[in-house]
Amino acid sequence: MVVTGSDGPPLVGDTSASGPRHKNRTRVSRGMRTAGGMVPIAVSPTNNSSDSLPLAVLDFVGIEYGESAADSIAGAVRIAQALEGAGYRRYWVSEHHNMNSLACSAPELLTAHIGAHTERIRVGAAGIMLPNHTSLKVAETFRTLLAMYPGRVDLALGRAPGTDPLTAHVLRRGVRTDPAAEFPNQVAELLAFLGDGFPASHPYARLVAAPVVPERPELFVLGSSHYGPQFAAVNGLSAVFAHHMSPEIAFEALRGYRRDFSPGEEGGEPYSALSVLAFASDDDEAVLEFEAAWTLTMQSIRRGDREPLRPEQVLEYARSGEFRSSRRDDGRMVTGAPKAVAERLLEMRQLAQADEIVVVTPSLDRDRRTASFTALADAWRSVA
């Protein structure tokens, strides 16, 4: 259950079956508090490799109009390889369901596939929507990934469903629980499976999340509200905030995370990333089409339309007076020439006191996306 002080953020913890809630603060990085005691957790260090840029990409693995899911996944491999060559630190895939326009319903499988076709870049899911899964299965899956790609696997945890209510109902087998209320204990249980096990008196003490490996994935907590950064700060975990979903609170939320961070183990340090909707190009028309495509995508989602956009539909909208007259900078996306985009992302990183920027570039044209990522990396080196 959630254990909080009267004015504190959400924490991970448990009480005895008969005891009341209390205010003892339990940090999941040190272990999971259960009726049987504390479970120690092995913590792997954050990868601050000096030979990679503090840049990552979150890919929705979009299916372009007229192509197959196989084409989309092959395209994702090419993007990851280009990012590795450009010096990006991570390539992440999201978890979304019931979408004809996306191929990311199984991010753990995509992570394995991308890992097999790259050599150095970190790979992972951002995230695994934990309420859709069991903690044991997630632990087994990511330990298997670590056995395949030691030192390269990331696991970012979210509490949203990543889909509509009906699909979430099916994913959770009709079990009626409050995902927000269940999330802290799910995280604690996951960390126990990824760590040194449960106390001898615990019902799960005999269970092993196999295969057993000497490390755990690099863990992050996703957030688009204050909840995620607060949860990560109190429990000594790394945080990722979705600026592209909640730009109005993004900087404040991550500054608060760093201010309130409480180490989960001796010497633990805060580590945060800011995900930003961004596109870099010297071609003004390409920039307009990216912005138009995102606008149409949001309109489609609100209508419940899950089909890929047609290129001519985007082109027509991008050239329309309606779009051009309504186009304004609301701070939600960063677009323009590569140097200008890199400078703005660096500024945003400083405002958020973040360690990394996660670039989100959904677009109809995979070649344009790849060119944007490469140009941004080059520009970043020139202005950082």
Side-chain angles (χ1 to χ4, degrees):
M1 67 180 65
V2 184
V3 182
T4 68
S6 59
D7 57 353
L11 312 167
V12 169
D14 201 358
T15 59
S16 66
S18 59
R21 294 190 180 191
H22 52 78
K23 298 181 181 179
N24 293 341
R25 297 191 167 191
T26 305
R27 301 180 182 94
V28 297
S29 299
R30 288 181 179 167
M32 166 184 161
R33 183 172 297 280
T34 69
M38 284 294 290
V39 179
I41 297 299
V43 180
S44 59
T46 299
N47 176 19
N48 289 324
S49 174
S50 60
D51 61 356
S52 65
L53 298 171
L55 289 172
V57 162
L58 172 61
D59 194 354
F60 299 151
V61 195
I63 301 174
E64 296 181 10
Y65 185 81
E67 75 174 6
S68 67
D71 294 332
S72 173
I73 293 170
V77 169
R78 293 194 299 272
I79 286 176
Q81 291 170 336
L83 295 175
E84 184 171 72
Y88 279 72
R89 184 167 296 168
R90 313 173 198 273
Y91 171 87
W92 286 343
V93 291
S94 61
E95 178 185 338
H96 289 95
H97 302 274
N98 195 29
M99 296 285 290
N100 290 340
S101 58
L102 304 178
C104 59
S105 57
E108 59 274 70
L109 294 181
L110 291 171
T111 297
H113 187 60
I114 297 296
H117 290 85
T118 52
E119 297 178 358
R120 301 176 306 280
I121 193 168
R122 297 190 66 90
V123 294
I128 291 294
M129 301 295 104
L130 201 52
N132 297 343
H133 309 270
T134 68
S135 297
L136 174 59
K137 184 59 178 175
V138 173
E140 290 176 333
T141 297
F142 278 80
R143 279 188 160 184
T144 301
L145 289 168
L146 281 169
M148 297 165 71
Y149 314 114
R152 292 180 57 202
V153 178
D154 296 338
L155 171 56
L157 303 170
R159 64 188 181 115
T163 189
D164 57 274
L166 178 60
T167 307
H169 179 79
V170 174
L171 285 167
R172 297 165 186 172
R173 296 178 298 164
V175 176
R176 297 184 179 276
T177 59
D178 179 358
E182 292 291 318
F183 182 73
N185 274 349
Q186 281 189 291
V187 174
E189 188 175 277
L190 173 63
L191 292 179
F193 281 125
L194 289 173
D196 296 332
F198 294 82
S201 59
H202 195 278
Y204 297 166
R206 295 182 293 110
L207 301 182
V208 174
V212 176
V213 293
E215 61 175 316
R216 78 179 191 191
E218 190 169 335
L219 288 160
F220 295 82
V221 176
L222 299 176
S224 58
S225 69
H226 286 289
Y227 179 99
Q230 288 176 344
F231 182 94
V234 174
N235 292 295
L237 296 169
S238 300
V240 183
F241 192 88
H243 174 277
H244 64 283
M245 296 177 66
S246 304
E248 66 281 355
I249 63 170
F251 303 147
E252 172 195 352
L254 282 188
R255 287 197 301 265
Y257 160 79
R258 190 164 295 273
R259 180 190 64 238
D260 299 335
F261 183 84
S262 183
E265 63 168 11
E266 199 67 33
E269 297 284 344
Y271 197 89
S272 65
L274 182 73
S275 68
V276 183
L277 192 68
F279 180 77
S281 177
D282 288 315
D283 183 342
D284 291 342
E285 291 301 313
V287 171
L288 282 171
E289 288 170 29
F290 172 80
E291 295 179 6
W294 178 253
T295 302
L296 289 174
T297 296
M298 292 297 98
Q299 292 175 1
S300 295
I301 290 174
R302 286 191 286 269
R303 292 195 306 266
D305 182 356
R306 299 175 175 85
E307 301 298 324
L309 294 172
R310 292 178 290 105
E312 58 270 24
Q313 175 187 3
V314 175
L315 191 59
E316 179 182 353
Y317 185 63
R319 293 175 175 175
S320 70
E322 173 194 354
F323 169 69
R324 298 201 177 206
S325 63
S326 63
R327 184 172 174 245
R328 61 186 177 84
D329 183 6
D330 62 359
R332 189 173 295 274
M333 66 176 73
V334 181
T335 61
K339 182 181 179 184
V341 171
E343 289 173 340
R344 176 55 181 159
L345 292 179
L346 276 165
E347 181 184 13
M348 294 172 74
R349 181 186 174 203
Q350 293 168 353
L351 289 170
Q353 298 178 0
D355 297 282
E356 288 186 39
I357 292 291
V358 181
V359 183
V360 186
T361 309
S363 175
L364 300 182
D365 190 320
R366 197 169 290 112
D367 290 339
R368 278 185 177 177
R369 294 174 62 210
T370 304
S372 171
F373 295 140
T374 303
L376 179 57
D378 290 342
W380 185 281
R381 289 188 177 91
S382 72
V383 300

